[in-house]
Structures are given as structure tokens and as C-alpha cells.
Amino acid sequence: QVQLVESGGGLVQPGGSLRLSCAASGVISSIYTMGWYRQAPGKQRELVAHITSGGSTNYAGSVKGRFTISRDNAKNTMYLQMNSLKPEDTAVYYCKIWGYAVWGQGTQVTVSS
């Protein structure tokens, strides 16, 4: 079965950086579009960025220029490099393979001084 495992979250000060990873198993993720989502307390889950099988990327306006999505098809893994982090980036971050109703457990990102 398809499984997704997110990692790399943590506590970081404003202006800091984190790199999230999403390891997929049970599926050849490289042939699918994949996305990073986040959900802050009391808010709906939102799409942060996505990357197509061909490597095209798209970002939410709130993270454009600060976050970079990428994938390593050989490792069946997707990444999210997050720079210049702001307190409003605090959320649980999830990855998803488009076309599959599967979510990982998420990884907590907290941006605070």
C-alpha cells in the first residue's frame, strides 16, 4: 500500500531555514504530481507547493521566493526547502501524491523566537 512519511520539522527562529522530506513507498512517485500542504491550528489545510512528474513547480503566493520544492526520483522522495521562515509559516506540514487519498502523519514546523 502507499505510505508517505514526512520528516525534518522542528522549532526555528524567524528568518531561519528548514528542509522537509517526504519519503514515499508502495508507489513509483516519480510519475505523479506531488504536493506539500500545511495546516495551522484552527485553519483549513492549504496547498503550499506542488511539483509535476516533469519537474514543473508552482507555489502559493505566501511562500513564493522563500520555499523551494524538489524531488529525487531515485530515492522516491520529495523535499521542501524553507528559507526566511516567518511565524505565520507555523503549521503541520503534509505531503501528498495527487490521485491518492493518502496522507502521512505530518511534521510540525514552529517558527518562534
Side-chain angles (χ1 to χ4, degrees), residues 48-64:
V48 173
H50 73 264
I51 183 166
T52 68
S53 58
S56 297
T57 60
N58 197 33
Y59 300 89
S62 58
V63 307
K64 193 172 293 184

Side-chain angles (χ1 to χ4, degrees), residues 36-101:
W36 281 102
Y37 295 74
R38 67 186 181 187
Q39 187 166 20
K43 294 187 177 182
Q44 288 190 330
R45 193 169 297 186
E46 62 173 350
L47 177 63
V48 173
H50 73 264
I51 183 166
T52 68
S53 58
S56 297
T57 60
N58 197 33
Y59 300 89
S62 58
V63 307
K64 193 172 293 184
R66 300 188 297 122
F67 290 10
T68 302
I69 190 172
S70 62
R71 64 197 306 169
D72 184 334
N73 293 331
K75 295 182 178 179
N76 226 21
T77 300
M78 178 178 65
Y79 304 97
L80 186 67
Q81 178 67 43
M82 306 187 296
N83 299 328
S84 302
L85 282 161
K86 303 176 181 180
E88 50 264 42
D89 295 318
T90 295
V92 179
Y93 284 71
Y94 302 87
C95 61
K96 191 177 187 298
I97 300 174
W98 289 15
Y100 284 87

